[in-house]
Amino acid sequence: SKIEEYLLQFEEVRKDKTYSITTEGVTEIHVWLRDNVRKPDIFWSKLRHQLMVIKAIDLPQGVIGPVVNSDFGGTESMIIGISGKSADYNRMKDRISLLEDKLRSIPAVSRLKRIGEQKEQIEIAFRSDRLMQYDIDLLQVVKILQSQNVINPTGEIRSGDYTAPLFTEGHFRSIDEIRDQVVGSSATGALIRLKDIAGISRIYAEPESRISVNGQKALLLTVQMYEGENIVRAGKQIEKYLDEFTGQIPTGMEITTIVNQPEVVRINISQFLREFFMAIVAVILVVFLLLPFRIAAVAAAAIPMTVSITLALLRTFGIELHQVSLASLIAVLGIVVDDAVIIADNYVELLDRGKDRWTAAWQSATELVIPVLTATITIISSFLPLVI
């Protein structure tokens, strides 16, 4: 309730659509933003910071979170897998880190995410016979090991106006340091180390899930791109890096591009462009076959002029060229030709009435501007529900 009340104080949040769902031990608050919020990422960052403050002040001990998940709408442009039947997860992780460093240099790449990492842990298997032999209390050994992960201030060094704090070093840096940790002493005064009473080994924790590529254990790297960037151009840059990186991976590992959205977009756009130009050629041929040459020439000239102006306006208003916009251009070819034929036909009719060419030219358009515009707007209105 405290968090929900706090959220509703933000002007960016829609009060009528924000709601919460509570189950045993978990509460989810679904936050909806107003349509006029232009930069939602800035709001989510602000919200994360503010919720950490409210957690420190108002939330009881033992509460995990709150966690702000604003990445549910992200779409992976590419998914790359590094796999190997006998490859070690740490070695695959190192290779993915190198690849990430290369991909971060591409301006269009917004986010890189690893999937499938396996957590490591240090397993300490105590030997009960050794504990009894050295008369070591197991709980005391556990406290000694836990204390090594605590960093405490031990003082400071003052030199004029400069003060440097000092802290005890408690973290283990290697498995050998854990083995050599002193946990007690024998009756004769000899130091007893952890390796004397237990077996210590580095193992992978029990995984919640595993990822495999072509039947081999693998790690995945997902690539997201900024909105409005040229995904095809960025895909070519990534493929260039992947070709260079493939020759650098060790024997027994292989790199696989599982999802390649830039390539899919490139193929689809190429197909649409080919169909678009085929439609233009087909319309022009039909016009020239069925109409007098001069009228057909005027109608055919309207197609490239209209398409060029349309592409210029799309770029001006920031509308991206994609499958829907290309399909729309194909759909309106008939409207463009129909309008041009109607105006040209009216021009010929005015000439037959004895009008001179200049008068017939401007009257042919002005007389039919309302009917032609009304018909065109009617057809546009029929497609508006697709936009909304």
Side-chain angles (χ1 to χ4, degrees):
S1 297
K2 287 181 177 292
I3 297 178
E4 189 170 338
E5 292 172 3
Y6 184 73
L7 288 172
L8 296 178
Q9 297 176 10
F10 290 94
E11 61 180 0
E12 297 92 340
V13 175
R14 290 192 58 174
K15 280 72 173 175
D16 58 328
K17 299 193 70 174
T18 297
Y19 63 95
S20 60
I21 299 175
T22 301
T23 57
E24 185 177 356
V26 179
T27 294
E28 295 180 3
I29 302 177
H30 297 252
V31 182
W32 289 72
L33 302 185
R34 296 184 180 276
D35 296 334
N36 59 358
V37 178
R38 297 185 177 275
K39 295 182 178 180
D41 290 341
I42 296 179
F43 171 76
W44 297 127
S45 298
K46 177 176 70 174
L47 182 61
R48 286 186 179 91
H49 174 73
Q50 295 295 334
L51 287 181
M52 293 305 295
V53 175
I54 194 175
K55 176 185 177 180
I57 298 175
D58 292 335
L59 298 184
Q61 294 293 328
V63 173
I64 300 175
V67 177
V68 179
N69 177 18
S70 60
D71 299 327
F72 50 84
T75 302
E76 277 68 29
S77 300
M78 297 186 72
I79 299 179
I80 304 163
I82 293 184
S83 59
K85 189 173 183 179
S86 57
D88 183 70
Y89 280 106
N90 277 336
R91 295 185 66 192
M92 289 193 291
K93 178 182 175 181
D94 293 339
R95 292 293 134 183
I96 279 190
S97 297
L98 294 176
L99 180 59
E100 287 175 343
D101 293 338
K102 290 181 175 291
L103 297 185
R104 286 194 182 98
S105 63
I106 300 176
V109 174
S110 63
R111 184 183 180 189
L112 299 171
K113 181 181 178 182
R114 299 179 200 167
I115 301 176
E117 285 188 81
Q118 302 298 326
K119 295 181 180 180
E120 282 190 298
Q121 65 184 21
I122 303 298
E123 183 181 69
I124 302 176
F126 291 98
R127 297 178 56 180
S128 57
D129 57 333
R130 293 293 181 88
L131 291 173
M132 294 179 61
Q133 177 183 346
Y134 293 111
D135 193 20
I136 298 293
D137 183 10
L138 178 58
L139 294 178
Q140 184 65 30
V141 175
V142 172
K143 290 181 180 179
I144 292 174
L145 294 176
Q146 290 176 340
S147 66
Q148 292 301 112
N149 287 325
V150 177
I151 299 179
N152 293 317
T154 56
E156 59 186 17
I157 298 177
R158 295 181 179 178
S159 176
D161 296 332
Y162 178 75
T163 301
L166 297 178
F167 296 89
T168 56
E169 283 194 5
H171 283 291
F172 293 115
R173 289 185 292 268
S174 68
I175 194 171
D176 289 331
E177 290 186 0
I178 299 177
R179 292 191 178 102
D180 293 334
Q181 173 64 44
V182 177
V183 294
S185 60
S186 64
T188 60
L191 295 178
I192 302 173
R193 304 184 184 277
L194 186 62
K195 61 184 178 182
D196 297 326
I197 60 173
I200 302 97
S201 59
R202 184 192 297 270
I203 62 172
Y204 289 105
E206 185 69 25
E208 296 180 358
S209 61
R210 285 191 178 94
I211 293 177
S212 63
V213 175
N214 298 326
Q216 300 178 342
K217 60 182 179 181
L219 296 182
L220 300 182
L221 178 64
T222 65
V223 183
Q224 294 184 12
M225 298 186 187
Y226 288 109
E227 183 180 356
E229 293 288 341
N230 189 322
I231 188 174
V232 177
R233 186 187 303 123
K236 291 180 179 179
Q237 292 178 295
I238 294 175
E239 289 176 358
K240 178 183 176 182
Y241 283 126
L242 290 179
D243 291 339
E244 298 174 356
F245 187 74
T246 301
Q248 302 174 4
I249 61 175
T251 305
M253 290 188 194
E254 60 182 70
I255 186 168
T256 307
T257 302
I258 301 170
V259 173
N260 193 343
Q261 192 67 21
E263 181 65 15
V264 174
V265 172
R266 186 191 66 79
I267 294 174
N268 288 342
I269 294 296
S270 299
Q271 290 177 346
F272 267 102
L273 287 175
R274 184 169 60 251
E275 295 170 1
F276 179 59
F277 287 115
M278 288 175 61
I280 292 177
V281 172
V283 170
I284 292 176
L285 286 176
V286 171
V287 169
F288 274 98
L289 287 174
L290 300 179
L291 295 176
F293 179 79
R294 291 186 176 182
I295 297 178
V298 172
I303 296 175
M305 291 176 59
T306 306
V307 171
S308 301
I309 294 173
T310 301
L311 293 176
L313 291 175
L314 289 176
R315 182 175 181 84
T316 302
F317 290 106
I319 301 174
E320 299 176 357
L321 195 63
H322 43 60
Q323 293 186 23
V324 176
S325 56
L326 287 174
S328 302
L329 286 175
I330 297 175
V332 300
L333 283 179
I335 304 173
V336 171
V337 174
D338 184 56
D339 292 345
V341 169
I342 291 173
I343 300 298
D345 185 64
N346 190 38
Y347 169 75
V348 174
E349 184 178 347
L350 290 174
L351 290 178
D352 293 339
R353 294 179 186 175
K355 301 282 186 180
D356 62 272
R357 292 185 177 182
W358 289 106
T359 303
W362 69 264
Q363 283 188 353
S364 63
T366 54
E367 287 180 357
L368 298 177
V369 63
I370 299 300
V372 170
L373 183 61
T374 302
T376 304
I377 293 176
T378 301
I379 296 174
I380 292 173
S381 300
S382 65
F383 287 97
L384 280 180
L386 296 178
V387 178
I388 299 175

